[in-house]
Amino acid sequence: MLPMSCTDCLAWGVLFGPRCGACASFASRFPTGRCVGCHRRLPSRERYCRLCWCQARHDAQTNEAAGGVEPFLSQVRYHQLYLAHLTPLWSRKRKEDSRVRNPGGRIGRPPKPDPVPAGRPPTSGTPLRLFDLPRDYSLFDRRDRLDLDDPLMAWARWTIHILGEARGWKRGVRDDIEYGLAVLLAGRVDGEPVLHSEMFPFLRKRVIGVGRTTDVLKRMGMFRDDRRPSFEDWLTGKLDGLAPGINQDVETWLRILHNSGPRNKARSPATVWGYMNRIRPILLAWSDRYDHLREVARDDVLAALDQLHGNQRRHALIALRSLFSRAKKNGTIFRDPTRGLKVGQHHYGVLQPLLADDIDRSVQAATTPAGRLMVALAGIHAARAADMLALHLDDIDLGNRRIVIAGRARPLDELTHRLLIDWLRHRGARWPNTANPHLLINHKTALTTAPASGKGASLILHRQAATLERLRMDRILEEALACGGDPLHLASVFGLDTKTAIRYADSARQHLITTAEEQDPAGSNEPKDQNTP
């Protein structure tokens, strides 16, 4: 940034380049030509440069002419110069005169009238296309005239209004979506959907919300998602190098794990990736010797497992048992070579409570109203981060001091009650028009109805020893110590699984035994002499 004069309008100021911001925007919209007024070769609109247009507007404002600016363009004989990045007096006065006071008492732009209700226009039949070529919106020019009176665009404008009212979209957001749909729907025949691959580059370049535009098109029934799932690319890479017979069985197994199947629920993507990553070296070694899984014997499975130890062996055996069990159900193998191989009980370590200093540092690190509320929900009510993000406003009953977490009603303590009130006040002041039913929202989800992502929750206590999950575990362990290690009490209070409740109960018993031994050393249990006072 240097103090200099603009090359186009000659305005003096601190500029980022040879042109000021207004002239740079003017040059991006209009071609270069020789100005009729000042005879300079500059970006021109209707044969006049921006400086001549500014002078003509100034003269029209001074003379209070009702005929517009165009009659004064030919009369420009001099130019009134001004400083860059400062609004001229004639433009400032015009803006002040155009501003109105809204019903709420705030001065701003006049409210935009509601669009005329419209529905799907009548279809005349979809014409046959000789070539199926994708549309390229990168060559679109802003100077191109858009048909805003098209019946299809009227329907889109009404759909934007309905969704905007329901989700609290501001006027600028609606205008951006309306502009994007005006380009996407221009020249589109009846019933022709908008492809995601065609609209994404254009909307991203224009900084228009892709998700909100997609919601409008889905409501209109004119959107088609043609993206290739990332699971397909991952599956192709993982199956590369396997024998054809093994490849087919493994692909069927992974697809059922990912998409569910008969009497099988879909697993999480992390589970599918972990299974395949663990046994892929084993499958590659078998592909060098065999052409099908039916050739794999029990000795081959044992030899592959003998090379692994600890959790690696355990996880590989779990994945192999799942693979061969699926192949046996499909009838592609005659005998399951992993049948009878026991995974064994996993021996967990003793859970340790958090230190007081770690908890204090985490409390101090949570500086936002949402962060303080999530720390309280994890440290007092033992709520998971996913359960916090799934909370709805209907799950909070401040009057009766009740909260429903993961389907279980719990009483609200004084601290959590106060933090909830602080967050709701901040939420109402920051996003007063949001229609998102979730309790915890951010600047991205305030314009939608979707929950916030877990990535933001993990960043609240980033690089802290007492994370949200560790605070939750410490709260359950504290309750286990208080109840004497009763797993039934833990399962009923926190809704834990049986194995999880037993694990916390075992850890609590170990801590209680250790504490008792420290308070009553082994030497104090020896029988004392009766004559000893």
Side-chain angles (χ1 to χ4, degrees), residues 351-368:
L351 298 175
Q352 301 296 328
L354 289 173
L355 300 177
D357 294 339
D358 296 336
I359 298 177
D360 294 339
R361 282 193 291 267
S362 296
V363 172
Q364 295 175 1
T367 57
T368 62

Side-chain angles (χ1 to χ4, degrees), residues 145-290:
R145 299 294 180 181
L146 297 174
D147 188 9
L148 300 180
D149 298 330
D150 182 58
L152 189 61
M153 189 59 205
W155 180 32
R157 193 181 297 109
W158 177 247
T159 306
I160 295 172
H161 173 71
I162 294 176
L163 286 180
E165 289 294 325
R167 300 184 179 181
W169 292 349
K170 296 182 179 180
R171 177 175 173 178
V173 175
R174 302 186 191 187
D175 293 342
D176 291 342
I177 299 176
E178 182 177 339
Y179 169 74
L181 289 180
V183 178
L184 296 174
L185 300 179
R188 194 170 294 274
V189 297
D190 299 338
E192 183 181 359
V194 179
L195 304 181
H196 185 275
S197 59
E198 298 175 352
M199 60 179 278
F200 182 81
F202 168 74
L203 296 178
R204 180 56 61 89
K205 182 179 179 181
R206 303 290 181 178
V207 198
I208 301 176
V210 180
R212 291 186 284 272
T213 307
T214 302
D215 292 340
V216 176
L217 291 174
K218 285 183 178 179
R219 191 180 183 91
M220 298 172 62
M222 297 187 61
F223 176 76
R224 191 176 75 187
D225 192 353
D226 59 341
R227 291 175 293 179
R228 176 180 171 86
S230 59
F231 175 75
E232 299 295 334
D233 297 333
W234 174 84
L235 185 61
T236 302
K238 293 300 180 181
L239 296 178
D240 186 24
L242 300 182
I246 299 177
N247 189 321
Q248 183 178 0
D249 288 338
V250 174
E251 181 180 0
T252 304
W253 169 61
L254 291 176
R255 289 190 181 277
I256 291 178
L257 288 178
H258 184 265
N259 303 323
S260 75
R263 303 179 64 180
N264 286 273
K265 295 182 179 180
R267 304 293 186 90
S268 65
T271 302
V272 182
W273 299 339
Y275 278 7
M276 187 56 187
N277 292 336
R278 182 62 62 192
I279 66 173
R280 188 171 186 271
I282 301 176
L283 296 177
L284 290 175
W286 288 347
S287 298
D288 295 337
R289 293 178 291 169
Y290 306 124

Side-chain angles (χ1 to χ4, degrees), residues 391-398 402-403 412 420 424 439:
L391 283 175
H392 285 206
L393 294 175
D394 297 338
D395 298 330
I396 310 299
D397 188 356
L398 295 178
R402 305 288 292 179
I403 183 173
L412 275 177
L420 270 172
L424 291 175
L439 174 66

Side-chain angles (χ1 to χ4, degrees), residues 443-477:
H443 67 284
K444 292 183 178 180
T445 60
L447 300 180
T448 65
T449 57
S453 63
K455 184 177 180 180
S458 62
L459 294 178
I460 295 177
L461 300 180
H462 184 55
R463 295 183 179 179
Q464 296 292 331
T467 60
L468 292 177
E469 183 61 23
R470 289 286 288 120
L471 288 172
R472 171 183 171 272
M473 295 173 60
D474 184 74
R475 174 67 184 92
I476 300 175
L477 185 60

Side-chain angles (χ1 to χ4, degrees), residues 290-356:
Y290 306 124
D291 296 328
H292 202 278
L293 282 181
R294 67 171 63 97
E295 302 178 35
V296 178
R298 189 182 186 87
D299 295 338
D300 297 323
V301 176
L302 294 176
L305 294 177
D306 290 341
Q307 300 178 3
L308 304 176
H309 304 280
N311 287 333
Q312 293 184 357
R313 183 183 185 280
R314 181 173 177 270
H315 294 161
L317 180 55
I318 293 174
L320 289 176
R321 282 166 57 95
S322 177
L323 171 62
F324 282 104
S325 176
R326 171 51 53 185
K328 184 67 169 57
K329 291 181 180 179
N330 295 339
T332 56
I333 62 175
F334 303 111
R335 185 176 181 273
D336 185 359
T338 62
R339 184 176 182 181
L341 295 179
K342 302 297 182 181
V343 177
Q345 184 69 27
H346 181 72
H347 298 284
Y348 294 97
V350 179
L351 298 175
Q352 301 296 328
L354 289 173
L355 300 177

Side-chain angles (χ1 to χ4, degrees), residues 17 31 35 70 97 123 145 215 325 335 392 407 415 451 518 528:
C35 177
E70 286 77 4
D97 295 340
T123 59
R145 299 294 180 181
D215 292 340
S325 176
R335 185 176 181 273
H392 285 206
L415 176 60
E518 292 176 353
K528 297 182 179 180

